[in-house]
Amino acid sequence: MTPLQDQLDEITANTRHLVQPERMALSDRAVAELFASGIEQKILPVGATAPEFTLADASGRPINSADLLSFGPLVLDFFRGRWCPYCVTELEAWRALHSRLREAGVLLAAISPQTSRQSDFMVGQHSLPFPVLSDPGCALAEKFGLAYTVPDYHRAYYRSILVNIPFLNGDDSWRLILPATYVLARDRRVLYAQAFADFRVRPEPEEVLEAALAAVKH
């Protein structure tokens, strides 16, 4: 299987070929400013205790973190939304590994600020076998240190490429999140934490899987 980052780099190359340089410069500026803010160093770290949560899944049913963790270690994949090709590619990579996770006694849940209706579309379109949860207003992501407000100039960029964040997320906050991956032990202790200011970079699922499998052995 092609490494995830290679697939993401191909998306980036294709985007730079198709999108005007001045538009790409806006996106690059937003990434640089996020990185400079130090947000990556402020995320909930390894060794911390993750907050409890109850979030709606794609069908609107409430899903509780305690119930998920009762089965074993939990992988949480925070993603931006179904409109993001990097996020879709990442979740499809997790789809390919899902049977190995379940055989090992590990659960995976994907979390984004998009509405449950958007998640429902996504689950159906991409045949995702794991819960896709809605985090309104990035309230849970905020507790993980992942949430930020999109600056005005970047909002104009999203509008120019027909990505209507307020409609997709169901509010006018223009809050988004850093893509992030966590592994939680059954007691909510953080065993693995990775988040990137550059949305074009993600950890390899195989690396995350190893951390989850180590949690099962302990």
Side-chain angles (χ1 to χ4, degrees):
M1 182 175 169
T2 305
L4 174 61
Q5 193 55 54
D6 287 355
Q7 297 179 57
L8 302 183
D9 290 345
E10 184 175 353
I11 294 172
T12 301
N14 290 338
T15 302
R16 291 193 183 282
H17 180 69
L18 294 170
V19 177
Q20 297 96 322
E22 59 272 20
R23 284 187 178 178
M24 285 301 303
L26 294 176
S27 189
D28 290 340
R29 174 186 168 189
V31 167
E33 288 180 357
L34 259 184
F35 182 79
S37 76
I39 191 171
E40 289 182 354
Q41 281 69 54
K42 299 170 186 173
I43 69 168
L44 194 71
V46 170
T49 299
E52 295 184 283
F53 62 83
T54 300
L55 299 175
D57 69 6
S59 66
R61 182 171 57 109
I63 301 294
N64 185 273
S65 56
D67 292 338
L68 295 174
L69 286 164
S70 68
F71 292 97
L74 176 64
V75 176
L76 293 181
D77 189 85
F78 288 88
F79 71 102
R80 304 195 305 162
R82 66 186 287 258
W83 52 271
C84 171
Y86 297 88
C87 298
V88 170
T89 300
E90 180 184 30
L91 292 180
E92 288 181 339
W94 277 115
R95 181 186 65 193
L97 286 177
H98 188 251
S99 61
R100 288 173 58 190
L101 280 172
R102 296 303 298 120
E103 288 167 8
V106 178
L107 285 187
L108 166 70
I111 300 172
S112 87
Q114 70 187 7
T115 64
S116 292
R117 181 173 175 80
Q118 297 298 322
S119 296
D120 188 41
F121 290 147
M122 189 178 198
V123 167
Q125 184 177 4
H126 301 282
S127 302
L128 302 179
F130 41 78
V132 178
L133 309 179
S134 179
D135 178 24
C138 303
L140 178 64
E142 187 85 57
K143 295 177 181 178
F144 279 82
L146 306 172
Y148 67 96
T149 300
V150 178
D152 287 344
Y153 70 86
H154 205 202
R155 298 179 195 189
Y157 166 78
Y158 282 127
R159 291 189 186 102
S160 77
I161 60 171
L162 306 180
V163 175
N164 187 341
I165 300 294
F167 172 77
L168 295 165
N169 291 358
D171 64 51
D172 294 322
S173 68
W174 280 92
R175 297 286 277 168
L176 273 185
I177 62 171
L178 300 188
T181 310
Y182 279 84
V183 176
L184 307 184
R186 296 183 67 173
D187 62 0
R188 292 190 284 124
R189 188 166 36 92
V190 176
L191 304 176
Y192 178 97
Q194 282 280 8
F196 296 97
D198 189 342
F199 62 87
R200 299 164 291 206
V201 180
R202 312 288 167 99
E204 290 296 329
E206 288 281 358
E207 172 190 313
V208 182
L209 178 59
E210 286 182 17
L213 294 178
V216 173
K217 294 174 184 175
H218 290 87

